[in-house]
């Protein structure tokens, strides 16, 4: 714990963590808010899953593009432009009745314009702390972001079920705009400039650790998205149980992050953490009661934040600083495609087989998330005693002849 307190004493770290968490808080609200709103409008979880899938696909396409644009136009310009477009599209979904195809189109636009807060802050972190503190900082960030998933689902469920689904969406827009403005106004964005990458778009995926992080992130977040849809389907719109179960899921992640997130990262680190996620999600399919889901999903959550910390660290240690934003954009794209497919698959299985089908989807994805890093452990950097900072960008230096 002392390593975390030392990090928070570093000037600006606490502020930038708080600002980016506020800006990203809608990420813990919009999936559930859209699910509840679209299902209420259409009467189908499958339709809601399609809208979520369209939104996530838009985010997936935008991820590496907007991240790379930050190296060309600057972080502030890109974030402000996307913030305005995204807020407008999300508001439209909440207040304008539409057909399912129209909801999908607007959801796609909302995803395509989602501000690239996460790649920006992951790029800033290595410039704020020393190399010894970077891995614990990634762990602290991954743990802190679980507050999004603890508070977000509870707030969204309460507002959407007790006041109205439109207000659940509009509250998410308020956080998006308010948090985005705070983040853009943070002085750290003006102090860090992302160099223009010299590689072609997508070349960073040739780095095995980046590809490994992208694939495992896809499987991990896909499993989480399926769990979220399954929990909502179990408890429906009648009360706040779904929000509380999802909060317990995230509390497990916070506990895991604080307990294990600072441990040295060896080649088996990612596989071990994903095994915990698989065991919990597989057990969750055994019963659809509040207490059983709370216990099993708490166990599953223990592996999530530590696994995310590993993903961030192995990417950081494997690419040049000029490529970090794009690399994190691709990792985010993998996660968002996972969310899209996880939500869609879970939605259709819920319609056809009941809520338990969503947990089977989650279990299959989590098991694959364990197998991939176990087989790909040779691609996994051994960061035990090693600096996780990005590789410095170097250029030839002109030397005058003597």
């Amino acid at each position: 714990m002392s390593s975390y307190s030392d990090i928070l004493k570093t000037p600006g770290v606490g502020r930038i963590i708080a600002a980016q968490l506020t800006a990203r808080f809608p990420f813990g609200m919009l999936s559930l808010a859209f699910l509840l709103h679209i299902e209420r409008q259409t009467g189908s979880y499958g339709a809601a899953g399609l809208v979520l899938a369209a939104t996530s696909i838009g985010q997936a396409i935008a991820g590496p593009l907007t991240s790379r644009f930050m190296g060309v136009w600057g972080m502030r310009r890109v974030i402000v432009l996307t913030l305005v477009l995204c807020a407008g599209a999300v508001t439209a979904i909440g207040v304008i009745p539409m057909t399912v195809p129209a909801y999908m189109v607007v959801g796609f636009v909302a995803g395509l314009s989602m501000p690239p807060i996460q790649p920006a802050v992951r790029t800033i972190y290595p410039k704020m702390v020393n190399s010894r503190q970077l891995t614990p900082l990634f762990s602290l960030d991954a743990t802190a972001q679980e507050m999004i998933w603890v508070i977000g689902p509870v707030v969204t469920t309460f507002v959407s079920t007790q006041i109205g689904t439109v207000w659940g969406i509009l509250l998410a827009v308020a956080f998006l705009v308010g948090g985005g403005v705070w983040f853009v106004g943070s002085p750290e964005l003006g102090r860090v400039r992302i160099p223009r990458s010299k590689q072609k778009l997508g070349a960073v995926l040739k780095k095995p650790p980046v590809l490994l992080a992208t694939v495992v992130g896809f499987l991990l977040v896909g499993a989480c998205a399926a769990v979220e849809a399954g929990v909502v389907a179990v408890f429906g719109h009648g009360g706040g149980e779904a929000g509380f179960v999802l909060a317990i899921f995230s509390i497990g992640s916070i506990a895991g992050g604080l307990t294990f997130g600072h441990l040295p990262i060896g080649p088996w680190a990612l596989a071990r953490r994903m095994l915990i996620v698989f065991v919990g999600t597989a057990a969750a399919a055994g019963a659809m009661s509040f207490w059983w889901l709370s216990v099993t999903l708490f166990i599953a959550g223990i592996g999530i934040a530590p696994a995310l910390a590993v993903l961030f660290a192995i990417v950081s240690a494997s690419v040049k600083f000029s490529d970090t934003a794009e690399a994190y954009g691709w990792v985010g794209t993998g996660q968002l495609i996972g969310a899209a497919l996880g939500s869609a698959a879970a939605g259709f299985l819920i319609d056809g087989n009941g809520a338990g089908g969503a947990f089977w989807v989650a279990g299959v994805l989590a098991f694959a998330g364990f197998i991939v890093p176990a087989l790909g452990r040779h691609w996994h950097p051994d960061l035990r005693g090693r600096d996780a900072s990005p590789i410095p960008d170097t250029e030839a230096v002109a030397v005058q002849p003597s």
Side-chain angles (χ1 to χ4, degrees), residues 7-343:
I7 290 171
L8 290 175
K9 293 176 183 177
T10 303
V13 169
R15 179 178 60 248
I16 200 69
I17 289 177
Q20 62 97 6
L21 286 178
T22 305
R24 292 167 55 208
F25 193 74
F27 293 3
M29 302 177 67
L30 284 177
S31 292
L32 190 53
F34 283 179
L35 187 72
L36 292 168
H37 183 69
I38 303 302
E39 191 278 334
R40 181 160 292 180
Q41 295 296 313
T42 66
S44 170
Y45 280 106
L50 288 174
V51 177
L52 288 175
T55 304
S56 297
I57 290 171
Q59 287 181 269
I61 294 172
L65 293 176
T66 54
S67 299
R68 193 176 178 93
F69 289 155
M70 288 192 295
V72 179
W73 299 332
M75 286 186 280
R76 283 194 169 117
R77 289 181 180 177
V78 173
I79 292 173
V80 168
L81 175 61
T82 54
L83 180 64
V84 171
L85 294 175
C86 185
V90 173
T91 300
I93 289 178
V95 302
I96 302 175
M98 307 180 199
T99 62
V100 172
Y103 275 127
M104 291 176 65
V105 170
V106 179
F108 178 79
V109 172
L112 195 64
S113 58
M114 195 68 70
I117 303 294
Q118 182 168 299
V121 77
R122 297 284 184 270
T123 303
I124 291 171
Y125 281 156
K127 300 299 182 181
M128 297 185 67
V129 298
N130 61 49
S131 59
R132 178 182 57 83
Q133 295 176 313
L134 186 55
T135 297
L137 177 55
F138 282 136
S139 177
L140 178 63
D141 180 82
T143 303
Q145 78 175 8
E146 288 303 315
M147 295 303 297
I148 296 171
W149 311 106
V150 172
I151 302 173
V154 176
V155 172
T156 300
T157 302
F158 177 80
V159 173
S160 296
T161 58
Q162 304 304 317
I163 302 176
T165 57
V166 172
W167 290 105
I169 292 175
L170 293 180
L171 181 60
V173 173
F175 276 107
L176 178 68
V177 174
V181 170
W182 184 15
F183 183 74
V184 168
S186 299
E188 288 74 19
L189 267 73
R191 296 172 187 161
V192 177
R193 186 184 67 84
I194 303 174
R196 188 189 295 259
S197 177
K198 298 178 181 179
Q199 299 191 86
K200 293 181 179 180
L201 180 67
V204 72
L205 288 173
K206 295 179 181 179
K207 297 282 188 180
V210 177
L211 184 59
L212 177 65
T214 302
V215 172
V216 176
F218 158 81
L219 296 167
L220 172 60
V221 176
C224 293
V227 165
E228 184 175 282
V231 169
V232 171
V234 169
F235 299 105
H237 302 292
E241 293 95 339
F244 285 110
V245 171
L246 292 173
I248 291 169
F249 187 32
S250 294
I251 289 170
S253 181
I254 292 173
L258 293 176
T259 304
F260 305 114
H262 64 285
L263 296 178
I265 296 174
W268 284 96
L270 191 53
R272 291 191 184 110
R273 288 155 173 78
M274 288 302 303
L275 180 61
I276 297 172
V277 178
F278 164 66
V279 170
T281 53
M288 299 293 105
S289 69
F290 175 87
W291 289 110
W292 178 257
L293 290 175
S294 297
V295 171
T296 54
L297 293 181
F298 178 85
I299 293 171
I302 289 173
I304 294 174
L308 290 172
V310 173
L311 296 182
F312 302 150
I314 65 174
V315 169
S316 176
S318 304
V319 300
K320 291 184 177 181
F321 179 67
S322 59
D323 294 321
T324 52
E326 184 188 337
Y328 287 125
W330 283 111
V331 173
T333 289
Q335 294 174 0
L336 291 164
I337 293 174
L341 296 181
S343 296

Side-chain angles (χ1 to χ4, degrees), residues 352-380:
N353 302 285
F359 293 96
W360 286 108
V361 172
V364 169
L365 291 172
F367 180 70
F370 159 68
I371 291 297
V372 169
L375 296 177
R377 62 188 181 278
H378 299 298
W379 288 1
H380 192 301

